[in-house]
Amino acid sequence: MTVYPVAAAHRRGGHISFLDEVRGPRASWDEVRRVAQSPTDRQAVAAAAFVATRRWDAETHAVATVTGGVGSLELDPSLLLEVRRPLSYQGMRNRIGRLPVPSTEGQRSVWFESRNEQENYWDLLISRRVVGMATQAMRLEWPFESGVRTHVPDALAELADGTVLLIDVTSSRRLSDPNTAAVWLLTGATASALGMRYEVRTELSRQSARNLSAVWARRQANPGQRRAWIDRARHVAFPTALLPFARVLGEGDPNYAAVWHLVAHSFVQVDLGGPLHADS
């Protein structure tokens, strides 16, 4: 396990940033919206974007700030640290915490800033074969005639097939906000310039969230038996129903904990959008 020695002063509210403040005036929202709505202008601004990241330097045993244009950076989620961090304080209304995620450098934990983010990250880790993930991993800086606008996407994930996803998690009520929509359009164009896919995610259904929570709770259940469960699963003809599959894993007696463990690690998939029952 790699320990990253990072210290930050605590202050009430919002976030603490580990990057220097961007100097200069903020671009007007009128210009940002206009540029975002023009595919040609949007791509031009995205190509000129500046990206700021932080990563652990194994040679110097220190955190290094690495910045550059969209074509000059290698963005490995497993090596990137958060560029800002959420803070807890008395009376806060959102939920923050840390989540264990896969990494090509070994297991690591990343921050989530709300229950909405936590549930969406569960869904991402369970439904996709994620091999590396970082949250709050970069600051995008876009130049406009009237100034600069910045954005810190919520997550960056690499999948087993090599796909890299840049992700923002938001509330459905913000979908109609024109300024936020402009930022998403610019982020999507910048992701394309970086060779990534971009996703904007909103709240999951309550049923999905309950199912994901139950599955995630079994992620660490008897990990020493995982290989035996996988070997038994190889003899099953998929798709199959939940109850007979649980009996195969339990060698006669239903072992639902084993099923949820394999689902949590993306070895098998179950539709988590509706109520779970024996015929799922």
Side-chain angles (χ1 to χ4, degrees):
M1 177 178 179
T2 302
V3 178
Y4 302 110
V6 177
H10 186 91
R11 68 170 184 246
R12 178 184 175 91
H15 305 84
I16 186 165
S17 176
F18 296 106
L19 300 175
D20 293 335
E21 291 293 328
V22 177
R23 297 183 179 183
R26 298 292 184 188
S28 70
W29 281 116
D30 286 341
E31 183 185 9
V32 173
R33 292 193 298 269
R34 176 180 57 77
V35 169
Q37 292 299 324
S38 167
T40 302
D41 293 344
R42 183 169 68 237
Q43 291 173 7
V45 168
F50 197 72
V51 184
T53 64
R54 295 170 66 249
R55 64 189 66 193
W56 176 249
D57 190 324
E59 294 185 1
T60 62
H61 298 283
V63 175
T65 299
V66 182
T67 59
V70 294
S72 64
L73 294 177
E74 181 180 349
L75 301 173
D76 183 346
S78 294
L79 299 178
L80 297 181
L81 305 176
E82 68 273 15
V83 300
R84 71 180 189 186
R85 180 176 297 176
L87 295 177
S88 61
Y89 55 91
Q90 185 175 0
M92 71 183 299
R93 300 176 64 182
N94 60 309
R95 176 180 180 175
I96 68 173
R98 292 182 70 85
L99 184 72
V101 298
S103 168
T104 57
E105 303 297 310
Q107 193 81 356
R108 67 182 296 199
S109 293
V110 298
W111 285 98
F112 60 85
E113 299 184 292
S114 65
R115 181 182 290 274
N116 187 16
E117 282 192 15
Q118 182 186 36
E119 292 169 351
N120 268 282
Y121 296 160
W122 283 344
D123 180 58
L124 176 70
L125 292 164
I126 289 172
S127 63
R128 314 274 188 98
R129 293 300 302 271
V130 176
V131 297
M133 183 173 172
T135 58
Q136 309 288 315
M138 67 180 72
R139 183 176 68 195
L140 306 179
E141 304 168 11
W142 297 300
F144 295 89
E145 291 183 1
S146 59
V148 178
R149 279 288 166 181
T150 66
H151 177 55
V152 178
D154 290 317
L156 182 67
E158 181 181 1
L159 308 184
D161 63 4
T163 301
V164 179
L165 298 176
L166 191 61
I167 299 164
D168 272 313
V169 180
T170 188
S171 60
S172 54
R173 60 182 173 79
R174 296 189 65 194
L175 294 177
S176 59
D177 180 75
N179 295 342
T180 303
V183 169
W184 289 335
L185 287 170
L186 289 167
T187 304
T190 308
S192 295
L194 289 166
M196 304 174 181
R197 288 176 52 192
Y198 180 56
E199 294 182 359
V200 176
R201 291 169 163 249
T202 60
E203 303 94 339
L204 303 177
S205 71
R206 287 298 88 199
Q207 182 66 63
S208 294
R210 285 193 293 268
N211 290 343
L212 287 164
S213 179
V215 169
W216 188 262
R218 294 294 182 179
R219 187 175 174 86
Q220 301 301 329
N222 300 317
Q225 297 186 41
R226 183 187 306 165
R227 179 50 55 193
W229 294 335
I230 293 174
D231 288 342
R232 293 170 197 163
R234 295 186 195 281
H235 300 288
V236 176
F238 290 100
T240 185
L242 179 58
L243 178 57
F245 183 52
R247 284 176 172 160
V248 169
L249 298 185
E251 296 184 296
D253 295 324
N255 188 342
Y256 291 105
V259 175
W260 304 140
H261 181 82
L262 296 186
V263 172
H265 287 275
S266 303
F267 289 107
V268 294
Q269 292 186 334
V270 176
D271 181 7
L272 299 175
L276 297 175
H277 47 75
D279 295 327
S280 295

Short mmCIF file of all heavy atoms in Angstrom, two decimals, residues 116-144:
data_model
loop_
_atom_site.label_atom_id
_atom_site.label_comp_id
_atom_site.label_asym_id
_atom_site.label_seq_id
_atom_site.Cartn_x
_atom_site.Cartn_y
_atom_site.Cartn_z
N ASN A 116 -24.87 11.20 -3.68
CA ASN A 116 -25.08 11.01 -5.11
C ASN A 116 -23.81 10.51 -5.79
O ASN A 116 -23.83 9.56 -6.58
CB ASN A 116 -25.54 12.34 -5.73
CG ASN A 116 -25.96 12.22 -7.18
OD1 ASN A 116 -26.19 11.12 -7.70
ND2 ASN A 116 -26.04 13.35 -7.86
N GLU A 117 -22.66 11.13 -5.47
CA GLU A 117 -21.39 10.66 -6.03
C GLU A 117 -21.07 9.25 -5.55
O GLU A 117 -20.66 8.40 -6.34
CB GLU A 117 -20.26 11.61 -5.63
CG GLU A 117 -20.20 12.88 -6.44
CD GLU A 117 -18.92 13.65 -6.21
OE1 GLU A 117 -17.96 13.07 -5.65
OE2 GLU A 117 -18.87 14.85 -6.57
N GLN A 118 -21.24 8.99 -4.27
CA GLN A 118 -20.93 7.66 -3.73
C GLN A 118 -21.72 6.58 -4.46
O GLN A 118 -21.15 5.55 -4.87
CB GLN A 118 -21.23 7.62 -2.24
CG GLN A 118 -20.90 6.28 -1.59
CD GLN A 118 -21.33 6.23 -0.12
OE1 GLN A 118 -22.37 6.79 0.24
NE2 GLN A 118 -20.54 5.58 0.71
N GLU A 119 -23.01 6.79 -4.65
CA GLU A 119 -23.84 5.79 -5.30
C GLU A 119 -23.47 5.63 -6.77
O GLU A 119 -23.46 4.51 -7.30
CB GLU A 119 -25.32 6.18 -5.15
CG GLU A 119 -25.80 6.08 -3.70
CD GLU A 119 -27.16 6.70 -3.48
OE1 GLU A 119 -27.68 7.37 -4.41
OE2 GLU A 119 -27.71 6.54 -2.38
N ASN A 120 -23.16 6.73 -7.45
CA ASN A 120 -22.75 6.62 -8.85
C ASN A 120 -21.40 5.93 -8.99
O ASN A 120 -21.18 5.19 -9.95
CB ASN A 120 -22.70 8.02 -9.49
CG ASN A 120 -24.01 8.39 -10.16
OD1 ASN A 120 -24.30 7.93 -11.25
ND2 ASN A 120 -24.80 9.21 -9.48
N TYR A 121 -20.50 6.13 -8.03
CA TYR A 121 -19.21 5.43 -8.08
C TYR A 121 -19.41 3.94 -7.80
O TYR A 121 -18.74 3.11 -8.41
CB TYR A 121 -18.24 6.04 -7.08
CG TYR A 121 -17.86 7.48 -7.38
CD1 TYR A 121 -17.34 8.32 -6.39
CD2 TYR A 121 -18.04 8.01 -8.65
CE1 TYR A 121 -17.01 9.63 -6.66
CE2 TYR A 121 -17.72 9.33 -8.93
CZ TYR A 121 -17.20 10.14 -7.92
OH TYR A 121 -16.87 11.45 -8.19
N TRP A 122 -20.30 3.59 -6.88
CA TRP A 122 -20.65 2.17 -6.69
C TRP A 122 -21.10 1.57 -8.02
O TRP A 122 -20.66 0.49 -8.40
CB TRP A 122 -21.77 2.04 -5.67
CG TRP A 122 -21.39 2.20 -4.24
CD1 TRP A 122 -20.14 2.16 -3.70
CD2 TRP A 122 -22.28 2.43 -3.14
NE1 TRP A 122 -20.19 2.34 -2.35
CE2 TRP A 122 -21.49 2.50 -1.98
CE3 TRP A 122 -23.66 2.56 -3.03
CZ2 TRP A 122 -22.05 2.72 -0.71
CZ3 TRP A 122 -24.22 2.78 -1.78
CH2 TRP A 122 -23.42 2.85 -0.63
N ASP A 123 -22.02 2.28 -8.69
CA ASP A 123 -22.57 1.77 -9.95
C ASP A 123 -21.46 1.61 -10.99
O ASP A 123 -21.40 0.59 -11.70
CB ASP A 123 -23.64 2.73 -10.46
CG ASP A 123 -24.26 2.27 -11.77
OD1 ASP A 123 -24.80 1.15 -11.80
OD2 ASP A 123 -24.18 3.02 -12.76
N LEU A 124 -20.57 2.58 -11.07
CA LEU A 124 -19.46 2.51 -12.03
C LEU A 124 -18.56 1.32 -11.74
O LEU A 124 -18.21 0.54 -12.62
CB LEU A 124 -18.65 3.81 -11.97
CG LEU A 124 -17.40 3.88 -12.85
CD1 LEU A 124 -17.80 3.95 -14.31
CD2 LEU A 124 -16.55 5.08 -12.46
N LEU A 125 -18.19 1.13 -10.47
CA LEU A 125 -17.26 0.08 -10.10
C LEU A 125 -17.88 -1.31 -10.22
O LEU A 125 -17.18 -2.30 -10.48
CB LEU A 125 -16.77 0.30 -8.66
CG LEU A 125 -15.88 1.53 -8.47
CD1 LEU A 125 -15.77 1.88 -7.00
CD2 LEU A 125 -14.50 1.29 -9.06
N ILE A 126 -19.20 -1.41 -10.03
CA ILE A 126 -19.87 -2.70 -10.09
C ILE A 126 -20.25 -3.07 -11.53
O ILE A 126 -20.13 -4.24 -11.92
CB ILE A 126 -21.12 -2.70 -9.18
CG1 ILE A 126 -20.68 -2.69 -7.71
CG2 ILE A 126 -22.02 -3.89 -9.46
CD1 ILE A 126 -21.82 -2.49 -6.72
N SER A 127 -20.68 -2.09 -12.31
CA SER A 127 -21.18 -2.40 -13.65
C SER A 127 -20.10 -2.38 -14.73
O SER A 127 -20.29 -2.91 -15.82
CB SER A 127 -22.29 -1.40 -14.04
OG SER A 127 -21.77 -0.08 -14.12
N ARG A 128 -18.95 -1.77 -14.45
CA ARG A 128 -17.85 -1.69 -15.42
C ARG A 128 -16.62 -2.37 -14.81
O ARG A 128 -16.45 -2.41 -13.60
CB ARG A 128 -17.50 -0.24 -15.76
CG ARG A 128 -18.69 0.65 -16.04
CD ARG A 128 -19.14 0.59 -17.47
NE ARG A 128 -20.17 1.60 -17.74
CZ ARG A 128 -19.92 2.77 -18.29
NH1 ARG A 128 -18.69 3.10 -18.64
NH2 ARG A 128 -20.90 3.62 -18.50
N ARG A 129 -15.72 -2.84 -15.64
CA ARG A 129 -14.46 -3.41 -15.17
C ARG A 129 -13.44 -2.28 -15.03
O ARG A 129 -12.63 -2.02 -15.91
CB ARG A 129 -13.96 -4.49 -16.11
CG ARG A 129 -14.81 -5.74 -16.16
CD ARG A 129 -14.96 -6.44 -14.81
NE ARG A 129 -13.68 -6.82 -14.24
CZ ARG A 129 -13.07 -7.99 -14.48
NH1 ARG A 129 -13.63 -8.88 -15.27
NH2 ARG A 129 -11.92 -8.27 -13.92
N VAL A 130 -13.49 -1.58 -13.91
CA VAL A 130 -12.59 -0.46 -13.64
C VAL A 130 -11.26 -0.99 -13.14
O VAL A 130 -11.21 -1.80 -12.21
CB VAL A 130 -13.21 0.50 -12.61
CG1 VAL A 130 -12.23 1.62 -12.26
CG2 VAL A 130 -14.52 1.08 -13.13
N VAL A 131 -10.15 -0.53 -13.73
CA VAL A 131 -8.82 -0.96 -13.30
C VAL A 131 -8.05 0.16 -12.62
O VAL A 131 -7.02 -0.07 -11.99
CB VAL A 131 -8.00 -1.52 -14.48
CG1 VAL A 131 -8.66 -2.76 -15.06
CG2 VAL A 131 -7.80 -0.46 -15.57
N GLY A 132 -8.52 1.39 -12.76
CA GLY A 132 -7.88 2.52 -12.10
C GLY A 132 -8.85 3.68 -12.01
O GLY A 132 -9.64 3.90 -12.93
N MET A 133 -8.81 4.41 -10.88
CA MET A 133 -9.77 5.49 -10.71
C MET A 133 -9.19 6.57 -9.81
O MET A 133 -8.43 6.29 -8.88
CB MET A 133 -11.07 4.94 -10.10
CG MET A 133 -12.18 5.97 -9.94
SD MET A 133 -13.73 5.20 -9.43
CE MET A 133 -14.73 6.65 -9.09
N ALA A 134 -9.53 7.81 -10.12
CA ALA A 134 -9.17 8.96 -9.29
C ALA A 134 -10.35 9.91 -9.28
O ALA A 134 -11.15 9.93 -10.21
CB ALA A 134 -7.92 9.66 -9.84
N THR A 135 -10.48 10.69 -8.21
CA THR A 135 -11.54 11.69 -8.15
C THR A 135 -10.92 13.07 -7.95
O THR A 135 -9.84 13.20 -7.37
CB THR A 135 -12.53 11.41 -7.00
OG1 THR A 135 -11.83 11.35 -5.76
CG2 THR A 135 -13.25 10.08 -7.23
N GLN A 136 -11.62 14.10 -8.47
CA GLN A 136 -11.11 15.48 -8.40
C GLN A 136 -9.67 15.53 -8.90
O GLN A 136 -8.79 16.15 -8.29
CB GLN A 136 -11.19 15.99 -6.96
CG GLN A 136 -12.53 15.81 -6.29
CD GLN A 136 -13.58 16.76 -6.83
OE1 GLN A 136 -13.33 17.94 -7.02
NE2 GLN A 136 -14.77 16.25 -7.10
N ALA A 137 -9.39 14.85 -10.01
CA ALA A 137 -8.01 14.56 -10.41
C ALA A 137 -7.38 15.62 -11.32
O ALA A 137 -6.18 15.54 -11.59
CB ALA A 137 -7.96 13.21 -11.11
N MET A 138 -8.13 16.58 -11.80
CA MET A 138 -7.55 17.58 -12.69
C MET A 138 -8.38 18.85 -12.67
O MET A 138 -9.58 18.83 -12.38
CB MET A 138 -7.46 17.05 -14.13
CG MET A 138 -8.81 16.83 -14.79
SD MET A 138 -8.67 16.21 -16.50
CE MET A 138 -8.13 14.54 -16.18
N ARG A 139 -7.72 19.95 -12.95
CA ARG A 139 -8.43 21.22 -13.15
C ARG A 139 -8.28 21.63 -14.60
O ARG A 139 -7.15 21.75 -15.10
CB ARG A 139 -7.87 22.31 -12.23
CG ARG A 139 -8.66 23.64 -12.35
CD ARG A 139 -8.16 24.68 -11.37
NE ARG A 139 -6.81 25.12 -11.68
CZ ARG A 139 -6.03 25.79 -10.83
NH1 ARG A 139 -6.47 26.09 -9.62
NH2 ARG A 139 -4.81 26.17 -11.20
N LEU A 140 -9.39 21.81 -15.29
CA LEU A 140 -9.38 22.27 -16.67
C LEU A 140 -9.47 23.79 -16.67
O LEU A 140 -10.31 24.38 -15.96
CB LEU A 140 -10.57 21.67 -17.43
CG LEU A 140 -10.70 20.15 -17.40
CD1 LEU A 140 -11.94 19.72 -18.19
CD2 LEU A 140 -9.46 19.47 -17.95
N GLU A 141 -8.62 24.43 -17.47
CA GLU A 141 -8.59 25.89 -17.55
C GLU A 141 -8.77 26.29 -19.01
O GLU A 141 -7.97 25.92 -19.86
CB GLU A 141 -7.26 26.42 -17.00
CG GLU A 141 -6.98 25.96 -15.57
CD GLU A 141 -5.56 26.24 -15.13
OE1 GLU A 141 -4.85 26.99 -15.85
OE2 GLU A 141 -5.14 25.72 -14.08
N TRP A 142 -9.86 27.01 -19.29
CA TRP A 142 -10.20 27.38 -20.67
C TRP A 142 -9.97 28.87 -20.91
O TRP A 142 -10.49 29.70 -20.16
CB TRP A 142 -11.66 27.05 -20.96
CG TRP A 142 -11.99 25.59 -20.88
CD1 TRP A 142 -11.45 24.59 -21.62
CD2 TRP A 142 -12.97 24.98 -20.02
NE1 TRP A 142 -12.02 23.39 -21.28
CE2 TRP A 142 -12.95 23.59 -20.30
CE3 TRP A 142 -13.83 25.47 -19.06
CZ2 TRP A 142 -13.78 22.70 -19.63
CZ3 TRP A 142 -14.66 24.58 -18.40
CH2 TRP A 142 -14.63 23.21 -18.68
N PRO A 143 -9.24 29.22 -21.95
CA PRO A 143 -9.02 30.64 -22.27
C PRO A 143 -10.12 31.20 -23.16
O PRO A 143 -10.50 30.58 -24.16
CB PRO A 143 -7.67 30.60 -23.01
CG PRO A 143 -7.68 29.28 -23.72
CD PRO A 143 -8.44 28.33 -22.82
N PHE A 144 -10.64 32.35 -22.77
CA PHE A 144 -11.62 33.08 -23.58
C PHE A 144 -11.11 34.51 -23.79
O PHE A 144 -10.17 34.95 -23.11
CB PHE A 144 -12.98 33.11 -22.88
CG PHE A 144 -13.63 31.77 -22.72
CD1 PHE A 144 -13.38 31.00 -21.59
CD2 PHE A 144 -14.50 31.28 -23.67
CE1 PHE A 144 -13.98 29.75 -21.44
CE2 PHE A 144 -15.11 30.05 -23.54
CZ PHE A 144 -14.85 29.29 -22.42
#
